[in-house]
Amino acid sequence: LPCRPASASLRRCAQQPLARQLLQRLQGGAAQGAALRGLGCVLEGSVATQRFAAQLAVGFLGDTKASMRQSAASVLNRLGDVELDVGASVWSTLGPALSDVDPKVSAAAAKVLTRMAPKHEAAVAVVRQLQHSSPQVRRASLQVLGQLQVKSKALVRRVIEMLLDNDWQVRAMAARTLPRLVERGQNVAAADALEAALEDLHPVVRQNAAGALAHVAANPSLPFVMKAQNAKLKRKAEVLRSTPRRAH
């Protein structure tokens, strides 16, 4: 027990020399990726050190080595929500990183945008990633758009299109995202698209669409009532068709 407070003090004392050694390793060598990940661990603690590690990791999102970009994404995900300073050099790095061939790097860059960019600028950058070839990037982009909660009809139209994506997880995320972008009863197109998604082949998409309709449709129960009535009429029509007609 007496070692516990002492260990925290030792860790703080060792933080600076360890950080200096790891920073030197980042200048070159075969262990740059490990050094960056280690730096993310060493600098956990105070807000200032976390911000420094995050800023450093953002810079490596544009590295030519895939291993360094992956290490940078790993550090950013580990540090979580850290406020970052916007700079021209950072913007030039994040642009290419959003389209990185590694979906983890692209997703990490998208999440960084939500913490350092004005909402509308971040939304414009993230929307471009909805055309990415990786379903994971498209899902992460939709999730980020939901976090930004930018109210825009053009953005809503783009998310509605994602309800027709060939990946069911992307469609499910699009259904979850729409309620964050519209007010209840204010967007008929979104409500109609979600109502159509109730017929999706995947049960998770149907479930998400049903939950989203409760927050988007002007009368949330109406689509379900109409669906039940249509099913009832369909069954009645089938019975009538199957019933032999009497000869006159």
Side-chain angles (χ1 to χ4, degrees), residues 231-247:
K232 185 176 180 180
L233 290 173
K234 185 178 180 181
R235 288 194 299 270
K236 186 176 181 180
E238 290 174 352
V239 170
L240 290 174
R241 283 196 298 269
S242 62
T243 301
R245 294 184 179 180
R246 294 180 180 178

Side-chain angles (χ1 to χ4, degrees), residues 38-235:
L39 195 63
C41 297
V42 169
L43 294 180
E44 280 185 332
S46 71
V47 174
T49 56
Q50 285 182 338
R51 185 178 295 128
F52 173 75
Q55 290 281 164
L56 195 65
V58 168
F60 279 102
L61 282 175
D63 198 89
T64 55
K65 298 177 182 176
S67 60
M68 288 302 297
R69 299 197 303 274
Q70 291 166 357
S71 295
S74 175
V75 170
L76 288 168
N77 287 329
R78 181 186 181 92
L79 292 173
D81 293 333
V82 179
E83 291 185 5
L84 299 172
D85 298 324
V86 178
S89 60
V90 173
W91 276 110
S92 63
T93 298
L94 282 178
L98 283 168
S99 301
D100 197 278
V101 292
D102 188 319
K104 291 183 179 178
V105 176
S106 178
K111 289 178 181 178
V112 168
L113 271 177
T114 65
R115 302 199 294 267
M116 61 179 293
K119 283 188 176 183
H120 286 276
E121 292 181 27
V124 170
V126 174
V127 164
R128 298 192 189 104
Q129 303 316 304
L130 295 179
Q131 299 178 350
H132 201 283
S133 59
S134 168
Q136 182 177 347
V137 173
R138 298 198 298 274
R139 291 197 303 271
S141 299
L142 285 167
Q143 186 176 12
V144 170
L145 289 174
Q147 293 170 351
L148 291 171
Q149 298 187 30
V150 174
K151 302 296 190 294
S152 163
K153 291 183 178 180
L155 179 57
V156 171
R157 286 195 296 270
R158 190 68 187 89
V159 175
I160 287 174
E161 292 174 4
M162 303 307 292
L163 286 170
L164 302 176
D165 194 273
N166 57 13
D167 184 275
W168 73 264
Q169 290 180 309
V170 174
R171 300 197 302 274
M173 183 59 71
R176 288 182 59 184
T177 301
L178 275 174
R180 296 176 175 267
L181 306 180
V182 300
E183 301 293 339
R184 176 181 289 176
Q186 298 300 310
N187 196 301
V188 177
D192 289 345
L194 288 169
E195 186 175 347
L198 293 174
E199 305 296 334
D200 194 276
L201 295 176
H202 201 281
V204 175
V205 179
R206 297 197 297 270
Q207 181 180 356
N208 285 4
L213 265 175
H215 301 281
V216 173
N219 187 348
S221 63
L222 183 61
F224 304 100
V225 172
M226 293 299 296
K227 185 178 180 180
Q229 288 179 342
N230 291 336
K232 185 176 180 180
L233 290 173
K234 185 178 180 181
R235 288 194 299 270

